[in-house]
């Protein structure tokens, strides 16, 4: 019985000492300054207009690249229409829903503007009318015509 007890104590000591050898050293993490998160700063109110002032846009972009503002078309020979603009900046392109009233009817039309060297160029392409909204068929096939270039202007106080 004493041999069995002595043998058990020796085995138990052996197992305990083996477990201690298997304990890993704590990992040392080098000290360094935490990196600052990159946050897009809202750009504030921005205003652009065509050379003839037939198209004017004013908007604000928040930190999530969401855009809201106003868009006005005052093209000679056509009814003036102005309305709200709600959309997103997707890279260098503003894609938004333009809600406006013309001849007493409220309409929604998707618009696109390409940001290029401090200007915005209006895009156009094939459209579809679904559920009361006119949208581009394929945004990847939009064309941006330099004749519809909007340049930065001072925002007017309203």
């Amino acid at each position: 019985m004493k041999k069995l007890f002595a043998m058990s104590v020796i085995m138990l000591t052996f197992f305990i000492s083996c477990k201690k050898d298997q304990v890993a050293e704590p990992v040392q993490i080098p000290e360094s300054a935490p990196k600052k998160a990159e946050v897009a700063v809202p750009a504030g109110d921005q205003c652009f207009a065509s050379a003839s002032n037939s198209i004017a846009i004013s908007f604000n972009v928040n930190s999530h690249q969401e855009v809201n503002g106003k868009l006005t078309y005052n093209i000679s020979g056509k009814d003036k229409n102005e309305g709200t603009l709600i959309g997103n900046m997707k890279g260098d392109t503003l894609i938004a829903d333009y809600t406006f009233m013309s001849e007493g009817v409220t309409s929604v039309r998707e618009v696109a503007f390409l940001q290029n060297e401090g200007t915005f160029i209006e895009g156009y392409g094939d459209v579809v009318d679904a559920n009361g909204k006119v949208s581009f068929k394929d945004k990847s096939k939009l064309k941006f015509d330099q004749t519809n270039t909007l340049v930065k202007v001072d925002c007017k106080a309203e």
Side-chain angles (χ1 to χ4, degrees), residues 28-100:
Q28 295 295 324
I29 299 173
E31 290 185 31
S32 62
K35 292 182 181 177
K36 291 184 179 180
E38 292 182 29
V39 177
V41 178
D45 289 333
Q46 300 180 57
C47 298
F48 295 83
S50 62
S52 63
N53 284 323
S54 58
I55 304 171
I57 186 172
S58 63
F59 61 89
N60 185 297
V61 181
N62 70 18
S63 61
H64 299 289
Q65 299 302 298
E66 297 167 333
V67 174
N68 63 48
K70 295 182 180 179
L71 178 60
T72 303
Y73 288 95
N74 193 11
I75 299 170
S76 179
K78 295 188 177 185
D79 287 341
K80 176 180 179 179
N81 54 56
E82 56 189 342
T84 60
L85 194 66
I86 298 174
N88 293 290
M89 286 299 298
K90 296 181 181 181
D92 60 356
T93 307
L94 166 61
I95 303 289
D97 287 341
Y98 171 50
T99 304
F100 62 99

Side-chain angles (χ1 to χ4, degrees), residues 2 14 40 45 72 103 118 125 142 153:
K2 286 184 182 181
F14 176 74
D45 289 333
T72 303
E103 297 179 5
L142 290 176
V153 296

Side-chain angles (χ1 to χ4, degrees), residues 1 4 8 22 51 64 79 89-90 93 98 115 131 140 142 150:
M1 181 77 160
L4 183 59
S8 296
Q22 292 176 359
H64 299 289
D79 287 341
M89 286 299 298
K90 296 181 181 181
T93 307
Y98 171 50
Q115 188 173 17
N131 300 324
S140 68
L142 290 176
L150 310 180

